[in-house]
Amino acid sequence: MLFSRLALAAAVLAIHGTALAHDYKIRDIEIDDAWVRATAPGQSAGGGYMEIENEGTTPDQLIGIKSDAAGSVSMHQTVTNNGVSTMREVDGGVTVPAKGEVKFAPGGYHIMFEKLKAPFKEGMEIPATLTFRQAGEVEIKFKVKPLTYKAPSMNGNMNHGGDMGNMSGHMSH
Ligand SMILES: [Cu+2]
């Protein structure tokens, strides 16, 4: 009994320790929890998510992303008007406020991988290079989560996950 309780405590500590660690850091910018969902058969695009923190006292801006895993990589934003969600490419860049953070999450900002060179399979890591106006370039890896993975959405009505299987929304750009 005592042993199993100790084991549980150790497991909780281990999980907590991982959550506190910053996955990637460049100057004042930290990137955590970068992930994409595995693609369904025939799906040629996928959305990437992450958290970006700025510990600095001046704002920074994510101005570019590239990856060898896809023919086209861009920053998108899902916008919901009158209950209808559409996504559009971000113009200019995504600002990370001083002493603040930006979350790329289903229903909001996301990285759009299109023309995938190979399907995203659970357990893979998708390399990408982010460019920040102040901090410069940082290489990160998006962990591929299961196709059924449900992320906490920014808004219950805007689940981008539902869109990802059907990429017709992208035909509008
Ligand atoms: Cu998109």
Side-chain angles (χ1 to χ4, degrees):
M1 212 46 194
L2 179 63
F3 279 115
S4 65
R5 213 177 294 152
L6 282 173
L8 179 64
V12 168
L13 275 176
I15 290 163
H16 202 193
T18 310
L20 287 173
H22 290 293
D23 295 344
Y24 305 96
K25 185 163 170 43
I26 177 93
R27 294 169 67 180
D28 289 330
I29 295 291
E30 287 165 355
I31 295 112
D32 287 310
D33 199 24
W35 66 279
V36 296
R37 192 177 280 110
T39 52
Q43 188 183 335
S44 64
Y49 309 102
M50 61 188 159
E51 293 178 23
I52 305 173
E53 259 177 67
N54 180 4
E55 295 208 315
T57 50
T58 51
D60 203 343
Q61 201 175 30
L62 177 63
I63 52 172
I65 176 159
K66 57 190 180 197
S67 171
D68 290 337
S72 155
V73 191
S74 52
M75 290 177 272
H76 274 202
Q77 186 175 20
T78 301
V79 180
T80 303
N81 281 317
N82 301 321
V84 179
S85 294
T86 50
M87 44 180 165
R88 60 172 190 226
E89 197 164 342
V90 172
D91 247 358
V94 174
T95 299
V96 191
K99 300 281 178 197
E101 65 171 5
V102 166
K103 282 191 165 89
F104 280 58
Y109 289 120
H110 53 280
I111 301 299
M112 203 74 226
F113 294 92
E114 291 169 276
K115 305 185 191 102
L116 301 185
K117 305 229 171 114
F120 289 169
K121 294 208 170 86
E122 184 180 347
M124 282 171 68
E125 293 190 320
I126 309 302
T129 305
L130 305 179
T131 305
F132 291 90
R133 198 177 291 283
Q134 308 294 335
E137 289 196 345
V138 59
E139 294 192 7
I140 70 166
K141 287 191 173 108
F142 289 85
K143 292 194 174 77
V144 181
K145 304 227 179 174
L147 188 54
T148 52
Y149 180 72
K150 289 269 187 291
S153 183
M154 291 176 70
N155 173 324
N157 293 323
M158 296 191 295
N159 191 346
H160 196 55
D163 300 343
M164 300 316 297
N166 170 6
M167 296 312 297
S168 59
H170 277 90
M171 303 312 284
S172 56
H173 18 95

